[in-house]
Amino acid sequence: MPAAAKNPRPRKAVLHAAQPKPLSATKSSALKGKTRVPGDKSISHRALMFGAIATRRTTITGLLEAEDVLNTAKALQALGCPIRKSGNTWEVLGRGVGGLAQPQGALDFGNSGTGARLMMGLLAGHDMAVRMTGDASLSKRPMGRVLDPLKSMGAEVLDGAVRLPLTLRGTADLVPIEYRLPVPSAQIKSAILIAGLHATGATTVIETEATRDHTERMLRHFGAEVRTVEGNGTRAITVTGGGELEGRAVTVPGDPSSAAFLVAAALIVPGSDVTIEGVLVNPTRTGFYTTLGEMGADISLLNEREEGGEPIADIRVRHSRLVGVRVPPERAPSMIDEYPMLACLAVHAVGETRMEGLAELKVKESDRLAATAAGLIANGVAAKVEADTLIVQGGGKVRGGGMVVTHLDHRIAMAFLTLGLGTDRPVTVDDTAMIATSFPEFRSLMETLGATFAEPDLARSRSGP
Ligand code: S3P
């Protein structure tokens, strides 16, 4: 490894609160071109974590080099796992299942719920107490949903906290469990399955709504025994603990949640024709694309293929006349991160779009249900929340000109900047610094396609209707 192959140095997510970077998106002319988006965030976290508890060497290409994932890498390094980058490849020298070591200080997960929650599953199987912290957004998010099942396996929360910061005490004698997910969450499922690798015997997670299955796929890729049994409307996933994972080569496909912003931009801006190459099209992640088809979007998946156990494709999208639709609640897990973007896109569709079953949106990086509705209203759109349903009236002229409060939420910032590419007046977001948590290249990539952004005229942006 060359000397330049250093440890990742993530910026401190807490800086975001202190130094907001507002930005406006302005009406753009046709977006054109072929591009790629950075690696999938979910797969990137998992590749690092599984590499860290495998034996020998794992190599990762296409890793998402954004703050969330770099914080996971940094945490694993603090737990005694060598991770470095050489050329375009990340190398993880695994410590074996149960082989991580006591870190010197607290592990800081910044803005990342996935990083923190999956790591709880990993730490639960180690006989040590570890302090876990996060930024202001992550410190508000519920952790009991992961800690409760982990406690029933034998882990302890020393300070009794249900939010970060907290101290988790793991054990080398975890007990396997069978657990029915109370909410459809791949993070809870994954934390339990990862803990299950460290328990002797079979740990089973039962889900009634399919959530993203990257943990199952990648654990199999690393040689673990993972069984999925479907029937009676449920999926039971069982992992057998007590064995080892084997270091592997992982190729991370493009993130469909990042691609969603480019796709939406092309649909919004007249004359656009954009192709995004190498995007993950795992069916547990493609609800947004299914919905776009129903709205009448001219979108096609080309060159479908499989890479590293995951389906990928090139996505071609052209500006389209859209119609409003009802998005059923059972689709929510497969497009959970795409609702802010879909809601902004619905503004440009003729008629009403109803998005149902969105309770989980309230506990993301922000309360995305409230933040999305407020941002739309600030830009002159008729939007409302009724219980767990978000309703957007589209079709008219879209005024824009509003200031959107992002609440440290990267997807709120990117969705509203995308909206602003097609509104009469610029849409301004109060902060963009946290976009670096998932998609640092967002602005430059959009600009390459022809999107226009500007430093905001704060005096002219309004935060209300
Ligand atoms: C993720 C699962 C989802 C998603 C998050 C990433 C994952 O959260 O919102 O961005 O990588 O497992 P939930 O599983 O809590 O719904």
Side-chain angles (χ1 to χ4, degrees), residues 343 347 372-377 380-385 390-393:
V347 170
T372 302
L376 289 172
I377 292 165
V381 178
K384 63 179 174 185
V385 176
L390 176 60
I391 303 165
V392 177
Q393 303 296 339

Side-chain angles (χ1 to χ4, degrees), residues 41-42 46 114 117 145 184-187 212 336-337 364:
K41 185 147 70 76
S42 295
R46 287 159 172 83
T114 308
R117 293 193 176 116
R145 49 176 54 198
S185 164
Q187 294 180 357
R212 62 190 70 191
I336 192 68
D337 293 334
K364 293 296 175 188

